[in-house]
């Protein structure tokens, strides 16, 4: 059995592939982090390093998605991607740091701009 993304020709396979490859593979490390982190002081050097590393990784992924996207996002102009990210961040802050509202605002700007451009 070929467990590559295109290995099984079934409509449900991409969703199962994402579940197995994305969620399951990383979720175990999250649980290990929760268990290990709950036993450490909140201001310990190890947790400060973990927070800084996680923040840096998220910033790197966002930067890559904005400046060097792949797939369908590459078809959107860079100005539109940056505007969507900026407005999403602003909505996130104005909404009291509610992530869902920031993501929804960024998505609305991106999709609205894409409809106007393309």
């Amino acid at each position: 059995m070929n467990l590559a993304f295109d290995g099984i020709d079934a409509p449900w396979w991409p969703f199962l592939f994402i579940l197995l490859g994305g969620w399951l593979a990383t979720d175990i490390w999250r649980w290990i982090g929760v268990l290990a982190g709950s036993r450490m002081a909140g201001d310990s050097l190890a947790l400060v390093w973990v927070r800084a590393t996680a923040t840096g990784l998220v910033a790197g992924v966002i930067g890559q998605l904005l400046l060097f996207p792949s797939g369908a996002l590459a078809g959107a102009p860079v100005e539109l991607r940056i505007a969507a990210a900026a407005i999403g961040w602003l909505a996130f802050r104005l909404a009291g740091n509610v992530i869902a509202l920031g993501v929804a605002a960024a998505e609305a700007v991106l999709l609205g701009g894409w409809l106007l451009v393309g």
Side-chain angles (χ1 to χ4, degrees):
M1 175 181 267
N2 181 4
L3 292 181
F5 182 74
D6 58 355
I8 296 175
D9 188 27
W12 50 265
W13 174 243
F15 301 105
L16 181 61
F17 185 84
I18 290 168
L19 178 68
L20 292 174
W23 173 74
L24 191 60
T26 60
D27 203 47
I28 186 70
W29 296 108
R30 291 183 186 143
W31 281 106
I32 290 171
V34 166
L35 292 174
S38 65
R39 297 187 177 124
M40 301 174 87
D43 60 348
S44 71
L45 187 58
L47 280 182
V48 170
W49 178 80
V50 167
R51 271 190 234 112
T53 302
T55 302
L57 287 171
V58 169
V61 169
I62 291 170
Q64 182 176 7
L65 286 172
L66 286 176
L67 301 177
F68 306 107
S70 61
L73 191 57
V78 68
E79 297 86 1
L80 177 60
R81 296 190 304 258
I82 292 172
I87 291 171
W89 177 83
L90 184 63
F92 164 75
R93 297 298 297 182
L94 291 174
N97 298 340
V98 177
I99 294 173
L101 291 177
V103 170
E107 219 172 294
V109 170
L110 186 62
L111 290 174
W114 204 333
L115 290 174
L116 290 174
V117 170

